[in-house]
């Protein structure tokens, strides 16, 4: 399995505290059946984890995983918050953040927790025009998507891919994200599943999320979803 959203890099955001915890998360991921992880530290004004830091920390963790013989492949990425249209545009121009995987054809974006940014369609269209597919992190956890039934489908129609979190599907974020996440699967609006793991407690648990997806959408849909996630890391 491939985890496209994971805060496994140590000491850069609210994810793994140190290298030891990063290694422990990788070990948990391996035991869950995950073989590829895209490291996606936050990219917003509080945790502005730039691409050069991502690559440096990634190489450090790769060396330690190799030393401990944990066979998980790591890939660069960021979780870029839509702080504003200008924030995204400026950092796109300066190449400040990392795209998902080495092909660089996808970008993980997230909404602010304070509310939906009405400039989102404009940002999405700019990314698509540049040949980049925006992958929207955990929409099921945002109340504004749950409250406005048309908001997320319109973004999907524009070309956005969604990323629903395994923790949501198994109920770890409460009843409403679980209900909405499962509804999105049944409506055919889920393009990827990821862990959004942050530590050994909020741990990599992709297997549980994929099991829920397959239960609701079927084995063929799961195969299509897995192929979509492979395309992110392989191009």
């Amino acid at each position: 399995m491939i985890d496209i959203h994971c805060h496994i890099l140590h000491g850069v955001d609210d994810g793994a505290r140190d290298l030891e915890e990063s290694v422990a998360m990788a070990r948990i991921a391996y035991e869950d059946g995950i073989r590829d992880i895209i490291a996606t530290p936050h990219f917003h004004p509080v945790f502005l984890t730039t691409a050069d830091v991502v690559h440096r920390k990634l190489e450090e963790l790769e060396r330690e995983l190799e030393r401990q013989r944990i066979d998980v492949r790591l890939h660069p990425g960021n979780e870029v918050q839509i702080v504003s249209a200008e924030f995204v545009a400026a950092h796109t121009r300066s190449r400040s953040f990392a795209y998902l995987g080495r092909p660089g054809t996808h970008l993980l974006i997230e909404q602010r927790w304070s509310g939906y940014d009405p400039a989102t369609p404009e940002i999405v269209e700019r990314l698509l025009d540049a040949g980049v597919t925006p992958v929207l992190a955990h929409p099921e956890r945002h109340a504004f998507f749950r409250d406005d039934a048309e908001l997320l489908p319109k973004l999907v129609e524009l070309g956005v891919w969604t990323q629903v979190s395994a923790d949501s599907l198994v109920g770890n974020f409460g009843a409403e994200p679980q209900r909405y996440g499962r509804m999105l699967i049944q409506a055919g609006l889920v393009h990827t599943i990821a862990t959004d793991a942050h530590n050994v407690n909020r741990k990599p648990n992709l297997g549980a999320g994929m099991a829920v997806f397959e239960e609701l959408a079927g084995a063929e849909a799961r195969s299509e979803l897995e192929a979509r996630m492979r395309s992110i890391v392989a191009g």
Side-chain angles (χ1 to χ4, degrees):
M1 294 186 294
I2 299 169
D3 188 5
I4 70 160
H5 182 183
C6 186
H7 296 265
I8 194 171
L9 294 185
H10 56 290
V12 292
D13 62 1
D14 57 349
R17 294 164 300 176
D18 50 34
L19 185 59
E20 182 180 359
E21 186 163 41
S22 294
V23 171
M25 289 174 67
R27 198 181 300 278
I28 292 169
Y30 184 85
E31 291 170 355
D32 188 50
I34 296 168
R35 295 296 178 266
D36 289 85
I37 296 174
I38 302 181
T40 52
H42 290 293
F43 189 93
H44 57 55
V46 176
F47 296 117
L48 197 69
T49 315
T50 55
D52 59 328
V53 174
V54 171
H55 285 279
R56 176 167 52 82
K57 290 283 187 174
L58 199 72
E59 290 170 2
E60 185 178 349
L61 180 53
E62 283 176 331
R63 288 194 297 270
E64 186 61 20
L65 295 186
E66 184 176 359
R67 189 183 73 82
Q68 297 198 30
R69 298 184 179 179
I70 301 172
D71 191 17
V72 172
R73 292 175 293 272
L74 300 177
H75 309 270
N78 271 118
E79 181 181 13
V80 179
Q81 189 173 86
I82 299 177
V83 176
S84 67
E86 179 51 34
F87 177 86
V88 177
H91 287 292
T92 299
R93 289 192 297 270
S94 62
R95 301 179 179 271
S96 302
F97 50 72
Y99 294 85
L100 293 179
R102 301 186 192 278
T105 55
H106 297 74
L107 179 67
L108 186 68
I109 59 173
E110 72 162 344
Q111 290 289 329
R112 298 188 307 275
W113 293 99
S114 58
Y116 177 74
D117 192 317
T120 300
E122 172 193 341
I123 294 167
V124 165
E125 288 174 351
R126 286 182 183 176
L127 289 169
L128 291 169
D129 287 346
V132 176
T133 300
V135 182
L136 182 62
H138 45 65
E140 78 284 354
R141 295 181 58 202
H142 292 279
F144 45 80
F145 284 127
R146 302 196 299 265
D147 293 342
D148 184 342
E150 296 302 315
L151 197 56
L152 187 59
K154 286 180 180 177
L155 292 179
V156 171
E157 187 175 341
L158 279 178
V160 168
W161 286 10
T162 61
Q163 174 265 297
V164 167
S165 296
D167 269 339
S168 296
L169 297 177
V170 300
N172 289 344
F173 290 125
E176 282 304 299
Q178 181 181 38
R179 178 196 63 79
Y180 187 57
R182 290 177 175 228
M183 185 273 287
L184 290 176
I185 292 173
Q186 292 169 323
L189 294 173
V190 175
H191 302 88
T192 65
I193 304 287
T195 69
D196 192 12
H198 277 61
N199 48 55
V200 295
N201 296 311
R202 186 173 161 184
K203 62 186 179 181
N205 59 347
L206 189 55
M210 295 296 284
V212 173
F213 183 90
E214 184 170 350
E215 176 188 346
L216 295 174
E220 183 177 348
R222 173 172 176 164
S223 294
E224 293 171 357
L225 179 136
E226 289 176 331
R228 202 175 295 120
M229 294 195 295
R230 281 196 301 274
S231 74
I232 293 175
V233 297

